[in-house]
Amino acid sequence: MSLINLKNETHKSYVSFIDMYDFYIEMKNNKINYNKHQLRIWGRIMTNCENNIIMKEELNKEDYDVVKRLEAACLGVQKTELKLELDFKMRHSTNFVENRIMAEFLYYDSKILVGYLGLCNFGGDTVEISGMVHPKFRGRGIYKKLFLIAKEEWQKISPLEVLALCDHTSTSGLAFINSQAGEYVSSEYKMCFNKKTSEVTHDYVINLRLATSEDAAEINRQTSIYFGDPEKDIETGIEPIRLDNTFISYLAELKGEIIGKIHISVIDNEGFIYGFGVLPYFRGKGYGREILNITMNILKEKNIENIFLDVATENKSALDLYESCGFEEISVMDYYVVS
């Protein structure tokens, strides 16, 4: 079995601990040309297999489906928000981004996934962690085991900070974060468009055009302005411009001049808006509202059932804009430093 096949099949029951151990030893003894990070990943898999914990660099489609089923089981019992970023990770799994870490930790019990924790730093200096445990398996220390293994991984890259995500209403999640001396730093609202809101139509002065690969540097520059992220080296990869119809980037133009950007993602007939911003000089003139309304029309033309976006709770101007355009708060996600 090749490394690639093994990497994609590690959580299946027919791959035994002995198989992985023998393969890992053969890799080391024969000095097969795999990088140190891959060797470390497989060493960790070998070490924790007996404890039903598997670590992977990234999820494949089958992993994704299994984690989604676990998510559905959790949400069926407790209506909390789980910001796992699974779709983001699947989109970016084949894109190289310098200093990126997207490690996945899966806890199996009798071939059933009962616990999950994911790390992602989105190519920046801050690592975000989020996860879940099946309701019937809580109180057994499963999440703590996943957390401690994940902690060993993030300590090796020495991130600026590590943020644990927790739904504002999750008492168990908050209790765990408190046990790790987590310190609250910020919150964000998840908002959903209210379909009952009356639609306002008028002539727009803004033109929203599809971004191309030639716009990558401009999108990178604007992201740095809006969200404080350092500009990335174009040669080492930045956020994708367009991946089929599930992720699309737009640039907003006023009389041919670029004044802002916005991204949409469509997954399972649900639309997501993010990365939205207007350059400082053009703010306060109603252009942001136009960009948002045009984007909403694009999603409505695709017959999207629900449209979502996230906004920091302290960003009052953006919050006021979204509410005036028909968005309503449906949940609050809190961020805690645990590093």
Side-chain angles (χ1 to χ4, degrees):
M1 180 180 292
S2 70
L3 175 63
I4 298 301
N5 289 334
L6 182 61
K7 178 179 177 181
N8 291 334
E9 306 294 341
T10 50
H11 66 279
K12 289 188 175 181
S13 59
Y14 62 76
V15 178
S16 69
F17 174 73
I18 298 300
D19 290 335
M20 286 192 288
Y21 178 83
D22 289 344
F23 185 83
Y24 178 68
I25 294 301
E26 181 182 356
M27 283 172 56
K28 294 185 68 176
N29 291 341
N30 295 332
K31 298 181 180 180
I32 297 174
N33 188 28
Y34 296 117
N35 64 48
K36 292 181 179 179
H37 183 61
Q38 287 173 314
L39 289 173
R40 175 166 50 79
I41 290 289
W42 289 105
R44 185 60 51 79
I45 290 175
M46 180 272 292
T47 302
N48 292 291
C49 187
E50 290 180 320
N51 299 324
N52 302 315
I53 297 175
I54 294 175
M55 175 179 168
K56 305 186 76 173
E57 287 187 81
E58 57 191 36
L59 301 175
N60 59 31
K61 181 59 170 63
E62 189 169 354
D63 298 327
Y64 172 89
D65 292 339
V66 173
V67 175
K68 290 294 286 186
R69 286 197 291 271
L70 175 59
E71 180 184 25
C74 293
L75 295 178
V77 174
Q78 188 176 9
K79 300 299 181 181
T80 56
E81 179 70 17
L82 296 170
K83 193 174 182 181
L84 304 175
E85 304 289 5
L86 298 178
D87 295 297
F88 172 89
K89 292 177 178 181
M90 292 297 289
R91 284 201 310 269
H92 288 253
S93 62
T94 58
N95 294 338
F96 173 74
V97 178
E98 188 178 30
N99 298 324
R100 183 194 73 178
I101 181 171
M102 291 202 301
E104 311 293 339
F105 304 84
L106 302 97
Y107 192 107
Y108 281 86
D109 184 281
S110 300
K111 304 178 185 178
I112 299 174
L113 181 69
V114 298
Y116 165 80
L117 185 148
L119 292 182
C120 189
N121 68 342
F122 306 98
D125 295 325
T126 298
V127 169
E128 293 186 4
I129 63 172
S130 59
M132 57 191 166
V133 173
H134 193 288
K136 294 182 179 180
F137 289 81
R138 293 174 184 170
R140 305 184 189 183
I142 292 175
Y143 197 80
K144 184 176 182 179
K145 292 176 183 177
L146 293 170
F147 179 86
L148 292 177
I149 293 174
K151 187 174 182 179
E152 291 183 24
E153 288 304 307
W154 82 57
Q155 286 178 336
K156 292 169 184 174
I157 66 170
S158 300
L160 184 63
E161 62 180 0
V162 178
L163 297 177
L165 282 60
C166 180
D167 184 284
H168 191 70
T169 64
S170 176
T171 54
S172 59
L174 180 58
F176 177 80
I177 290 174
N178 286 336
S179 73
Q180 301 300 317
E183 181 179 349
Y184 172 81
V185 289
S186 64
S187 299
E188 68 179 12
Y189 294 125
K190 182 175 184 179
M191 307 187 78
C192 182
F193 180 69
N194 185 344
K195 299 177 183 177
K196 298 179 181 180
T197 304
S198 59
E199 187 172 340
V200 179
T201 58
H202 56 79
D203 293 330
Y204 296 119
V205 299
I206 297 297
N207 174 50
L208 209 58
R209 69 165 176 84
L210 284 171
T212 69
S213 58
E214 295 179 353
D215 297 312
E218 175 60 23
I219 289 177
N220 184 30
R221 184 182 74 87
Q222 290 194 35
T223 298
S224 178
I225 293 173
Y226 304 147
F227 307 108
D229 298 330
E231 292 193 43
K232 303 180 182 69
D233 184 348
I234 300 302
E235 296 300 323
T236 60
I238 61 172
E239 57 188 316
I241 300 301
R242 179 167 184 163
L243 297 176
D244 52 61
N245 289 318
T246 64
F247 179 88
I248 307 174
S249 300
Y250 294 92
L251 286 177
E253 295 181 333
L254 175 65
K255 298 179 180 179
E257 182 177 2
I258 295 174
I259 69 164
K261 73 177 181 76
I262 195 166
H263 307 279
I264 64 172
S265 178
V266 178
I267 301 168
D268 296 331
N269 208 33
E270 292 186 335
F272 300 84
I273 295 174
Y274 50 95
F276 171 35
V278 177
L279 292 172
Y281 178 77
F282 297 96
R283 294 174 186 171
K285 303 176 182 179
Y287 299 142
R289 183 181 303 276
E290 282 201 20
I291 295 171
L292 186 59
N293 283 334
I294 295 171
T295 303
M296 295 292 293
N297 290 337
I298 292 172
L299 289 168
K300 290 174 184 176
E301 289 172 0
K302 295 178 179 290
N303 296 317
I304 301 302
E305 293 183 0
N306 298 301
I307 303 174
F308 302 95
L309 56 79
D310 294 328
V311 58
T313 56
E314 67 269 18
N315 192 345
K316 189 176 185 306
S317 60
L319 184 60
D320 290 344
L321 170 62
Y322 298 145
E323 289 178 338
S324 69
C325 288
F327 282 87
E328 297 178 341
E329 171 200 332
I330 59 173
S331 66
V332 181
M333 185 65 65
D334 295 329
Y335 290 74
Y336 295 83
V337 173
V338 293
S339 53

